[in-house]
Amino acid sequence: MTRGLSLRLEVFDDAEAAGAAAAEAVAAALSSATRPVLGVATGSSPEPLYRHLARTVTPGVFSDLEVFALDEYVGIDPAHPESYHSVVDRTVSVPLGLDAARVHVPDGSAPDPHAAAARYERAIVAAGGIDVQILGIGGNGHLGFNEPGSPFDSETRVVQLAAETRNANARFFPKEDDVPTHAITQGLATIAAARSLVVIATGEAKAAAVLAMSTGEISVDCPATLLRTHPRAAVFLDRAAARLIPSFEAPDLSERMVMEFHP
Ligand code: GLP
């Protein structure tokens, strides 16, 4: 990651290579923090990243790591296999050997989810803020569960999921109606407050969102355009997700954007 560039895009042949490079960026950023705090995303995009981190780090190196998940469904039992509690446990905490007491996920089953969201925001601040936030991107450009229209100054809060998001996440539930309608998500200001951002987007289905994120107007209509305002954001793509972006030699690319191809 390079200071002073708003968005760095690195394109790899496939999702595994993108994940491996993203994992190296995460490990490097964490190693320079004194009391490292990592923000983690769920979804399929960061799975190669987590696998690569688990394979390459020295055992025990993450014993004092504090971890905050991006989001959680509202009204889901934390023990449900598709709750983000369970997903973070399965894909991050267990493979990385994290101390469960240091892994935080919003409490979507709290009687008052709004209060739980506010508590979560305070807990992130109390931990000293997030050093590295890992992010995926929704097909509609969402970050966490900040759907299009989410204010850039939003904090952790309860949100309603877009129909497109419920449809995309129906693959994890017996039927689409079973996908929760609401979630607690870190806000866009919460995400932007992280000292560095590592974003991963792979596959055809992300190509339009990646194009909008990279070259579209910076606007709440595409929450991912917020990444272009961050001083330390790096995006790791496979060819399929990058395929709509004009080549980095093209004159109409933002001068504050760098693309590197790793064939
Ligand atoms: C989910 C999560 C996001 C994630 C996105 C993309 O609904 N709330 O944090 O980045 O959608 O998911 P995937 O990587 O599976 O495409």
Side-chain angles (χ1 to χ4, degrees):
M1 280 170 281
T2 308
R3 271 186 199 284
L5 295 168
S6 285
L7 198 58
R8 180 181 194 85
L9 302 176
E10 299 200 30
V11 185
F12 296 82
D13 252 357
D14 56 31
E16 276 306 312
E24 283 162 27
V26 168
L30 289 178
S31 67
S32 61
T34 37
R35 288 176 52 213
V37 181
L38 176 66
V40 295
T42 53
S44 24
S45 312
E47 284 178 2
L49 186 169
Y50 299 136
R51 279 201 303 274
H52 191 82
L53 258 190
R55 270 202 305 269
T56 53
V57 297
T58 319
V61 82
F62 289 139
S63 57
D64 63 347
L65 188 68
E66 202 80 30
V67 172
F68 286 89
L70 261 184
D71 43 20
E72 174 62 290
Y73 294 115
V74 165
I76 200 167
D77 183 336
H80 186 292
E82 295 306 331
S83 78
Y84 285 175
H85 270 88
S86 299
V87 174
V88 167
D89 195 51
R90 204 162 56 230
T91 60
V92 183
S93 308
V94 171
L96 296 185
L98 303 181
D99 174 357
R102 292 176 187 267
V103 179
H104 312 276
V105 181
D107 184 1
S109 63
D112 181 349
H114 298 278
R119 271 199 308 278
Y120 198 72
E121 180 78 24
R122 288 196 297 273
I124 293 173
V125 173
I130 291 172
D131 291 299
V132 191
Q133 175 66 58
I134 296 167
L135 293 166
I137 303 172
N140 63 359
H142 75 209
L143 296 177
F145 275 129
N146 293 280
E147 303 286 19
S150 297
F152 282 178
D153 63 358
S154 51
E155 295 191 337
T156 305
R157 69 202 186 290
V158 175
V159 293
Q160 185 169 5
L161 303 188
E164 188 181 347
T165 300
R166 294 186 69 223
N167 178 268
N169 289 3
R171 67 192 196 275
F172 300 117
F173 293 87
K175 55 185 192 306
E176 191 168 333
D177 275 357
D178 296 331
V179 182
T181 56
H182 290 75
I184 296 176
T185 183
Q186 286 189 32
L188 291 173
T190 321
I191 291 169
R195 287 178 273 280
S196 70
L197 304 177
V198 170
V199 187
I200 184 149
T202 52
E204 275 298 311
K206 299 297 167 66
V210 165
L211 176 68
M213 168 189 79
S214 314
T215 62
E217 187 193 338
I218 296 178
S219 147
V220 297
D221 294 342
C222 177
T225 57
L226 172 77
L227 302 171
R228 303 221 310 271
T229 68
H230 196 282
R232 279 178 82 100
V235 184
F236 296 84
L237 303 170
D238 67 354
R239 284 182 180 278
R243 98 193 146 81
L244 296 177
I245 306 178
S247 124
F248 70 97
E249 288 101 346
D252 61 344
L253 276 185
S254 157
E255 61 181 19
R256 301 185 71 192
M257 191 169 95
V258 166
M259 286 191 79
E260 285 182 8
F261 290 91
H262 302 265

